[in-house]
């Protein structure tokens, strides 16, 4: 049986002989020694096609039979985002077993039954998104192996970038989940230190987001707030931004939205001002845990939230994951980079793997032609295998 692309990505760094899929590196193994035993010719055979995305020029000309995977971020979670039917796949079952060991609680039960208030907490939400997104990728691998075989690029929104890095062979699943746990707890703690939040804004061509943020900070100063924060936290699509900072600043912008040419504003159900300077207290805990981890060079293209560009080598990834905490997510720029191509060139198929369809909506707003080839895959509804019964 042919080894799929995701099998190559995982097994070359872990269980090559076993031919395992996405969870090949879940529990750790003598994989590195397995890899070293292989000669260069065998490695080239297993990784055939990965070098095709080594240059931007090759990526730009990606034809329709190639695929891109997008991993969602916080805000996509919902009760029922995982179902027991997904456990029919051994690798997904192993994911949730490992998650309970790393996190110390039953993640599957939380995803299924909540309570919602607990699932929405940053410290629980981020690990839930990480695991369910990779589980959706595994489901895709099992049900449509040709899709994963032809995957040439991945990107993830905020915490989704950790899932993208695991999928591409950069990080070990268990180590990455532990890092996500630390990251989420640190961000939760930073959020509790200041009353803050995030405001989704759809503007117009004349909207001046930075000026609006400046005015909001001045308003906070008039209330006696020292060093107020109000910044662009995410670039979603043309005229679509997320502003984040002190709660008083965001409330000021909502009250005065017409003055700044905002067409629509919506407070997001998150606990803090992520991707702003208010997350500085979370930097050190994440930095320390990342220093203990091993980063491999990506085997397929992975795009970075910081600048929308492709990671070139393992050494830069650790620093940029830390910087991501206090920097805006440049998702619009990422999508423009991934889907840029010559006029008339075909677009790849895109799969959003994980809960929600928010990334599909941003893709539609950024590139309606690329969105025509978009599909969504999750593990919210998976039919269980029929139980065998003995004939009487």
């Amino acid at each position: 049986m042919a080894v799929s692309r995701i099998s190559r990505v995982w097994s070359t760094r872990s269980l090559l002989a076993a031919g395992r899929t996405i969870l090949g590196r879940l529990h750790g193994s003598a994989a590195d020694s397995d890899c070293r035993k292989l000669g260069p010719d065998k490695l080239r055979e297993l990784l055939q096609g990965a070098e095709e995305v080594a240059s931007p020029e090759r990526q730009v000309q990606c034809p329709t039979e190639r695929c891109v995977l997008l991993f969602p971020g916080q805000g996509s979670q919902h009760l029922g985002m995982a179902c027991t039917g997904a456990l029919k796949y051994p690798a997904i079952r192993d994911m949730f077993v490992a998650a309970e060991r790393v996190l110390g609680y039953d993640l599957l039960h939380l995803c299924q039954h909540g309570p919602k208030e607990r699932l929405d907490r940053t410290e629980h939400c981020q690990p839930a998104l990480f695991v369910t997104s990779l589980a959706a990728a595994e489901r895709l691998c099992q049900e449509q192996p040709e899709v994963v075989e032809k995957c040439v690029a991945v990107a993830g929104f905020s915490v989704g970038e950790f899932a993208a890095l695991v999928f591409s062979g950069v990080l070990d699943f268990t180590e990455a989940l532990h890092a996500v746990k630390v990251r989420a707890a640190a961000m939760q703690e930073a959020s509790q230190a200041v009353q803050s939040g995030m405001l989704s804004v759809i503007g117009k061509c004349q909207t001046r987001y930075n000026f609006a943020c400046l005015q909001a900070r001045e308003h906070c100063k008039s209330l006696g707030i020292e060093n107020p924060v109000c910044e662009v936290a995410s670039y979603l699509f043309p005229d679509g931004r997320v502003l984040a900072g002190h709660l008083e600043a965001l409330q000021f912008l909502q009250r005065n939205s017409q003055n700044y040419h905002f067409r629509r504003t919506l407070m997001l159900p998150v606990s803090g001002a992520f991707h702003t300077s208010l997350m500085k207290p979370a930097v050190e805990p994440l930095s320390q845990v990342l220093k203990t981890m091993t980063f491999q060079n990506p085997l397929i293209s992975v795009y970075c939230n910081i600048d929308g560009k492709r990671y070139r080598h393992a050494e830069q990834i650790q620093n940029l994951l830390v910087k991501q905490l206090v920097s805006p997510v440049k998702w619009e720029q990422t999508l423009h980079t991934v889907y840029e191509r010559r006029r008339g060139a075909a677009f790849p198929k895109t799969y959003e793997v994980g809960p929600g369809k928010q990334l599909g909506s941003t893709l539609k707003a950024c590139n309606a032609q690329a969105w025509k080839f978009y599909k969504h895959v999750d593990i919210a509804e998976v039919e269980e295998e029929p139980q065998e019964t003995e004939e009487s």
Side-chain angles (χ1 to χ4, degrees):
M1 182 174 65
V3 181
S4 71
R5 164 63 57 81
I6 194 167
S7 298
R8 290 201 291 264
V9 168
W10 284 83
S11 58
T12 51
R13 296 248 166 89
S14 57
L15 304 176
L16 272 166
R20 296 284 297 278
T21 55
I22 191 167
L23 262 261
R25 298 175 62 220
L26 176 59
H27 302 292
S29 66
D32 292 333
S33 61
D34 288 342
C35 190
R36 284 193 292 269
K37 291 176 184 177
L38 296 174
D41 292 339
K42 182 62 175 177
L43 279 176
R44 276 194 294 270
E45 176 186 345
L46 288 168
L47 297 176
Q48 183 180 10
E51 73 280 0
E52 294 177 3
V53 296
S55 68
E57 291 76 13
R58 297 296 291 272
Q59 178 61 36
V60 164
Q61 298 174 26
C62 177
T64 52
E65 62 266 20
R66 297 186 185 178
C67 302
V68 173
L69 266 58
L70 304 179
F71 293 83
Q74 195 165 348
S76 298
Q77 75 277 2
H78 60 85
L79 284 182
M81 60 196 277
C83 70
T84 53
L87 301 183
K88 71 179 182 179
Y89 302 116
I92 294 179
R93 185 165 60 247
D94 288 348
M95 283 185 181
F96 282 101
V97 170
E100 185 168 0
R101 186 174 66 248
V102 172
L103 301 174
Y105 56 86
D106 188 341
L107 181 65
L108 179 61
H109 185 274
L110 178 62
C111 290
Q112 288 180 296
H113 306 293
K116 186 177 186 301
E117 295 76 16
R118 187 165 182 250
L119 178 61
D120 285 343
R121 284 179 61 86
T122 299
E123 60 185 320
H124 301 132
C125 173
Q126 292 188 15
L129 285 165
F130 172 85
V131 174
T132 55
S133 294
L134 284 171
E138 175 63 18
R139 178 188 182 185
L140 184 64
C141 181
Q142 294 294 330
E143 296 180 357
Q144 301 181 63
E146 71 282 358
V147 170
V148 180
E149 173 76 18
K150 297 169 183 176
C151 179
V152 295
V154 293
F157 192 99
S158 191
V159 69
E161 191 166 302
F162 282 82
L165 289 167
V166 171
F167 182 89
S168 65
V170 174
L171 295 176
D172 170 83
F173 175 90
T174 308
E175 285 187 345
L177 177 57
H178 176 63
V180 168
K181 176 185 177 181
V182 172
R183 178 187 191 265
M187 292 174 71
Q188 180 77 47
E189 186 174 350
S191 299
Q192 293 170 348
V194 177
Q195 278 198 318
S196 58
M198 305 185 80
L199 181 70
S200 176
V201 175
I202 297 179
K204 303 176 182 178
C205 57
Q206 65 265 43
T207 302
R208 297 164 61 193
Y209 298 98
N210 290 331
F211 175 73
C213 289
L214 173 63
Q215 294 279 292
R217 292 194 297 270
E218 292 299 322
H219 169 73
C220 287
K221 289 179 181 178
S222 73
L223 300 177
I225 299 175
E226 296 183 3
N227 303 315
V229 172
C230 186
E231 307 168 4
V232 177
S234 301
Y235 295 83
L236 299 177
F237 50 84
D239 299 323
R241 303 285 187 274
V242 174
L243 309 182
H246 280 81
L247 197 57
E248 295 85 349
L250 303 181
Q251 292 170 342
F252 170 82
L253 291 176
Q254 279 197 299
R255 290 195 304 269
N256 298 277
S257 61
Q258 290 186 343
N259 295 341
Y260 302 109
H261 305 288
F262 295 163
R263 285 191 292 159
R264 192 183 74 186
T265 63
L266 177 68
M267 287 296 298
L268 299 180
V270 297
S271 58
F274 306 145
H275 303 291
T276 72
S277 55
L278 288 177
M279 288 294 108
K280 285 182 180 179
V283 166
E284 185 61 21
L286 179 60
S287 178
Q288 289 302 316
V289 73
L290 292 180
K291 288 178 181 178
T292 68
M293 296 168 57
T294 301
F295 290 77
Q296 306 284 358
N297 287 327
L299 297 176
I300 55 177
S301 293
V302 186
Y303 289 84
C304 174
N305 283 185
I306 296 296
D307 55 12
K309 297 180 180 178
R310 185 165 56 88
Y311 283 118
R312 294 290 178 175
H313 48 76
E315 289 73 16
Q316 70 179 149
I317 299 176
Q318 178 179 323
N319 292 333
L320 291 177
L321 286 177
V322 174
K323 187 177 179 182
Q324 186 213 72
L325 283 178
V326 293
S327 303
V329 175
K330 294 187 176 178
W331 190 250
E332 177 186 351
Q333 293 86 334
T334 298
L335 294 181
H336 286 321
T337 302
V338 171
Y339 296 99
E340 181 185 7
R341 60 207 61 248
R342 297 173 306 188
R343 182 182 296 275
F347 286 98
K349 294 178 180 178
T350 297
Y351 293 82
E352 181 173 358
V353 284
K357 300 180 182 179
Q358 285 87 337
L359 299 186
S361 297
T362 60
L363 176 59
K364 185 177 183 180
C366 287
N367 193 322
Q369 293 300 314
W371 177 79
K372 291 180 179 179
F373 303 94
Y374 163 89
K375 292 184 178 180
H376 175 242
V377 179
D378 63 14
I379 57 166
E381 295 183 6
V382 181
E383 292 185 4
E384 297 189 46
E385 294 284 4
Q387 297 294 319
E388 294 185 3
T389 59
E390 294 184 3
E391 295 183 3
S392 56

